[in-house]
């Protein structure tokens, strides 16, 4: 199990010098769905919870409308646990420094289905080398880590655009996300 006190005081990369809070994640211990973003933004850094700003409002409205899932039913987290200054994309070294924390969370929570939001999450979860423009909606099956691994269970998932891209890109990006979330709904129904 992840040592939360150790994570809260982590100094494995320089983001520890500028963060206000380590944003670990929120949601139930054994969720059917794990939602994974990139890194906390300003509101998350202040509030200590992932996706509590505009991106999160859009994300959870779409999840409710297309999948019928509420925020408190999923475990929500980010690949990188501390805010990159100015909300820049986390650097490779920062992603690597956080990798063991993120990997341990996927093992501990062992969700049936994972949703990756944007390139950083899609690469971390599915090893995609192409961007989400090409890989969104593609169903990926990964060996489930942790306790369930002995029974050969799998986690399935897919990537879609990050909701911040939808806020910038408008209705065409939202429409693509809606289509991907309908595929996610079928994955959850089959899980
Ligand atoms: N963007 C993310 O990727 N994660 C958050 O928690 C907030 C914004």
């Amino acid at each position: 199990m992840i040592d939360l006190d150790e994570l809260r005081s982590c100094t494995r990369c320089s983001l520890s010098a500028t963060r206000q809070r380590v944003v670990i994640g929120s949601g139930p211990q054994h969720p059917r769905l794990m939602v994974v973003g990139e890194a906390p933004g300003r509101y998350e850094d202040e509030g200590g919870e992932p996706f509590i700003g505009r991106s999160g409002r859009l994300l959870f409205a779409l999840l409710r409308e297309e999948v019928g899932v509420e925020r408190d039913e999923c475990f929500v987290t980010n690949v990188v646990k501390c805010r990159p200054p100015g909300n820049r994309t986390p650097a490779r070294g920062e992603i690597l420094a956080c990798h063991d924390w993120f990997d341990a969370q996927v093992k501990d929570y062992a969700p049936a289905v994972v949703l990756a939001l944007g390139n950083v999450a899609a690469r971390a979860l599915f090893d995609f080398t192409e961007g989400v423009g090409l890989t969104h909606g593609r169903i990926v099956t990964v060996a489930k880590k942790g306790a369930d691994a002995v029974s050969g269970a799998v986690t399935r998932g897919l990537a879609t655009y990050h909701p911040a891209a939808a806020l910038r890109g408008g209705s065409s990006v939202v429409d693509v996300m809606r289509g991907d979330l309908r595929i996610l709904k079928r994955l959850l129904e089959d899980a």
Side-chain angles (χ1 to χ4, degrees):
M1 280 295 278
I2 198 164
D3 183 333
L4 294 179
D5 288 335
E6 198 185 331
L7 175 48
R8 278 190 201 100
S9 54
C10 178
T11 53
R12 290 183 193 176
C13 81
S14 59
L15 297 181
S16 58
T18 49
R19 72 170 179 235
Q20 293 190 53
R21 310 269 294 267
V22 177
V23 181
I24 295 173
S26 65
Q29 176 70 56
H30 293 297
R32 295 181 66 238
L33 176 64
M34 185 176 210
V35 178
V36 181
E38 180 176 301
R42 173 157 42 111
Y43 296 108
E44 293 77 18
D45 184 49
E46 285 167 11
E49 277 201 46
F51 285 106
I52 53 175
R54 279 181 74 211
S55 291
R57 279 199 292 284
L58 175 61
L59 169 66
F60 291 106
L62 293 176
L63 275 169
R64 179 184 296 130
E65 288 166 25
E66 298 297 343
V67 189
V69 163
E70 298 294 330
R71 179 186 176 113
D72 62 6
E73 295 175 79
C74 347
F75 187 77
V76 188
T77 190
N78 289 299
V79 174
V80 170
K81 310 300 179 203
C82 299
R83 181 190 183 207
N87 295 353
R88 62 166 168 74
T89 303
R92 193 176 142 71
E94 293 156 358
I95 295 170
L96 284 175
C98 239
H99 176 268
D100 286 351
W101 295 123
F102 177 57
D103 207 44
Q105 281 183 313
V106 179
K107 282 196 184 99
D108 287 352
Y109 287 86
V113 177
V114 284
L115 174 65
L117 301 167
N119 286 326
V120 169
R123 289 190 179 125
L125 279 164
F126 308 135
D127 292 332
F128 283 161
T129 49
E130 300 155 307
V132 282
L134 290 174
T135 58
H136 73 87
R138 189 188 288 173
I139 296 170
V140 186
T141 303
V142 283
K144 194 179 255 184
K145 299 169 177 178
D148 284 350
V150 284
S151 61
V154 293
T155 295
R156 302 178 84 202
L158 55 81
T160 191
Y161 284 100
H162 193 288
L167 289 173
R168 286 191 304 269
S171 62
S172 59
V173 181
V174 171
D175 288 347
V176 174
M177 288 183 78
R178 285 187 186 278
D180 294 337
L181 293 180
R182 288 196 282 272
I183 300 171
L184 180 78
K185 182 176 167 61
R186 291 206 301 276
L187 280 188
L188 281 164
E189 285 164 356
D190 293 347

